[in-house]
């Protein structure tokens, strides 16, 4: 699987990692360690034409200016494998960039994840997944529901993250245009 993403800036990374550590220590939630790169995702696909998507994202990053986003609150994607997350506030700029990413990459992708389509996309930073149960989710919610979970995120690049055969990494990263 591949994900077009933006990694979090150092302050938001530290805050996310602190939350991950608290969740592991107090609630036994450690599944997030399998994808240890704090980020938010713009798109996910089973496959990409890597050369084509790299060119498309490099060109897009080269004409995009950095901007700020922020998280607020707590959310749960429900189902057989619940996901605990903090949502990014949807702004016009965030939505415009997500639409641009889809426009320039969809021709280079196969098996796109429909949850990341513009109409369905819920931008978020994942706090717990893969090992969420009724018991440890209740533990997490009892504490986190009463904390202010806000992060300021500098959106200044696009990266392609991969998870293939148990290996996780960054295939490439392109910084946005500074002024």
């Amino acid at each position: 699987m591949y994900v077009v993403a933006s990694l979090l800036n150092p302050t938001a990374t530290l805050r996310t990692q602190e939350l991950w550590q608290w969740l592991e220590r107090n609630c036994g939630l450690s599944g997030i360690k399998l994808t240890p790169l704090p980020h938010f995702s713009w798109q996910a696909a089973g496959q990409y034409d890597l050369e084509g998507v790299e060119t498309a994202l490099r060109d897009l990053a080269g004409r995009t200016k950095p901007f700020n986003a922020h998280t607020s609150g707590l959310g749960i994607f429900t189902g057989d494998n619940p996901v605990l997350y903090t949502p990014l506030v949807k702004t016009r700029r965030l939505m415009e960039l997500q639409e641009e990413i889809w426009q320039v990459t969809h021709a280079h992708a196969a098996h796109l994840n429909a949850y990341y389509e513009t109409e369905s996309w819920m931008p978020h930073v994942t706090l717990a997944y893969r090992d969420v149960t009724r018991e440890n989710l209740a533990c997490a919610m009892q504490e986190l529901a009463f904390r202010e979970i806000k992060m300021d995120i500098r959106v200044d690049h696009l990266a392609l993250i991969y998870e293939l055969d148990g290996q996780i990494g960054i295939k490439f990263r392109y910084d946005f245009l500074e002024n």
Side-chain angles (χ1 to χ4, degrees):
M1 181 175 85
Y2 292 92
V3 176
V4 176
S6 290
L7 301 169
L8 302 187
N9 52 289
T11 302
T13 292
L14 181 60
R15 176 73 171 125
T16 301
Q17 290 171 333
E18 288 170 350
L19 288 166
W20 289 353
Q21 289 166 2
W22 185 92
L23 288 165
E24 181 176 17
R25 187 174 53 253
N26 294 286
C27 302
L29 286 159
S30 61
I32 196 72
K33 286 182 171 180
L34 298 174
T35 311
L37 302 170
H39 69 279
F40 69 92
S41 302
W42 300 97
Q43 183 183 71
Q47 291 180 293
Y48 282 109
D49 161 21
L50 293 176
E51 187 176 314
V53 78
E54 183 173 9
T55 299
L57 292 176
R58 181 180 54 236
D59 292 349
L60 178 57
R63 64 177 188 271
T64 302
K65 292 184 179 181
F67 62 97
N68 294 317
H70 65 275
T71 67
S72 183
L74 194 59
I76 302 170
F77 293 128
T78 60
D80 291 337
N81 298 298
V83 175
L84 182 65
Y85 65 90
T86 182
L88 270 77
V89 176
K90 279 187 172 182
T91 63
R92 181 179 311 272
R93 184 64 195 112
L94 198 68
M95 295 304 298
E96 287 171 350
L97 182 55
Q98 201 267 349
E99 287 178 20
E100 286 182 85
I101 289 167
W102 273 75
Q103 288 171 4
V104 302
T105 60
H106 78 274
H108 306 290
H111 312 291
L112 285 165
N113 185 323
Y115 289 125
Y116 293 90
E117 289 181 14
T118 302
E119 297 78 29
S120 306
W121 185 55
M122 302 225 3
H124 65 279
V125 175
T126 301
L127 299 177
Y129 81 115
R130 294 190 182 176
D131 61 349
V132 177
T133 65
R134 291 178 193 279
E135 294 75 21
N136 59 25
L137 180 59
C139 169
M141 294 303 291
Q142 285 176 351
E143 173 69 21
L144 297 182
F146 295 93
R147 284 190 191 187
E148 183 173 73
I149 301 178
K150 288 188 175 185
M151 289 184 267
D152 293 317
I153 298 170
R154 181 78 171 155
V155 183
D156 60 3
H157 69 279
L158 296 172
L160 189 68
I161 298 173
Y162 63 88
E163 182 179 348
L164 300 169
D165 301 321
Q167 300 294 314
I168 296 164
I170 301 168
K171 189 73 174 165
F172 57 78
R173 172 188 166 144
Y174 292 107
D175 291 338
F176 290 170
L177 175 69
E178 290 287 342
N179 293 333

